[in-house]
Amino acid sequence: TFNNADAGAYTLQFKGTGYSDGISVASSVGGQTKTAKDVFLPPVAFGGVLFIVLTWADCGPANVPCDLDAHLTGPRIAPDTGRFQVYNGNMSYVVAPDTIAALDVNDSNGRGPEVIGLRPSAPVGVYRFYVHNVSNAGSAASRALADSASARVDVYQDNRLIGTFFPPAGQAGTVWKVFDYDGAILMPVGQIVFQADASVLALRAEKPRPGAPRR
């Protein structure tokens, strides 16, 4: 709590023993009490572990979806072929004895977070991260995901924030293609498309984006 702060915008940094640092913004307005959004701090994990954190907002305001789902697809480990998909309908991809990727935190009634972890034992290849608007899953014309100023994806690695993404405004659809990851670089996609059943994202035939690596 801060009292009698000068009016203006503030950047807040949160620290906790055993957790990665978190960054948030807040404002101070004369004569008003302002409350900052919740901040999620993923646990410290070195050695290349990737934590992908999806947050949004209470769905009381108009055009804010109540339920957003995080989805990660990636290459399966040989001799398996094709791609795995981790989301709330399939919460982990395990190749004994290793957990390659897992939905570590799940939320379905507003705000989040949803957290997917990708472990260093993940095979070489391109990983794709999506956000599905479950609340409006059957509406191809919905812009609730695109126009929600509260939806946000933060990516952490080795105790630092390496990327933050917001949905592109004005696009109709239910699946936000957030980024590709090749094991070293986050490559923003920033596209929203319609897909009623997001459980098939790993099966969709996708042409590589210009400049994206082929695997």
Side-chain angles (χ1 to χ4, degrees):
T1 301
F2 299 90
N3 295 313
N4 301 316
D6 292 339
Y10 290 81
T11 299
L12 308 176
Q13 183 177 23
F14 297 84
K15 292 178 174 289
T17 302
Y19 295 88
S20 300
D21 293 352
I23 302 293
S24 181
V25 294
S27 60
S28 175
V29 179
Q32 298 184 25
T33 298
K34 306 286 286 186
T35 301
K37 296 179 181 179
D38 291 346
V39 176
F40 181 80
L41 305 183
V44 169
F46 295 99
V49 174
L50 205 72
F51 282 114
I52 308 167
V53 181
L54 166 65
T55 53
W56 57 107
D58 290 323
C59 54
N63 221 33
V64 177
C66 289
D67 189 5
L68 299 181
D69 279 355
H71 292 251
L72 179 70
T73 75
R76 293 181 178 273
I77 294 179
D80 291 343
T81 59
R83 298 178 67 79
F84 71 80
Q85 181 169 342
V86 168
Y87 67 111
N88 69 346
N90 181 50
M91 299 185 68
S92 63
Y93 174 55
V94 179
V95 179
D98 293 330
T99 298
I100 306 302
L103 179 63
D104 297 312
V105 181
N106 184 40
D107 187 27
S108 61
N109 58 1
R111 298 202 303 176
E114 290 213 349
V115 182
I116 291 181
L118 181 65
R119 314 303 193 243
S121 51
V124 174
V126 175
Y127 295 81
R128 297 186 171 100
F129 183 75
Y130 308 83
V131 173
H132 182 217
N133 179 4
V134 180
S135 298
N136 304 99
S139 175
S142 173
R143 295 189 179 184
L145 178 54
D147 294 340
S148 173
S150 301
R152 170 177 177 152
V153 172
D154 293 308
V155 184
Y156 295 84
Q157 190 174 50
D158 290 341
N159 196 30
R160 63 190 180 94
L161 180 68
I162 63 171
T164 296
F165 304 88
F166 298 94
Q171 296 185 21
T174 55
V175 171
W176 168 24
K177 298 180 179 182
V178 184
F179 64 82
D180 292 349
Y181 174 66
D182 67 354
I185 299 174
L186 296 174
M187 296 166 283
V189 178
Q191 179 185 7
I192 293 180
V193 299
F194 174 67
Q195 180 68 46
D197 181 8
S199 67
V200 300
L201 288 173
L203 303 177
R204 291 185 53 165
E206 299 183 49
K207 295 180 180 180
R209 295 182 297 107
R214 295 175 180 268
R215 303 285 185 181

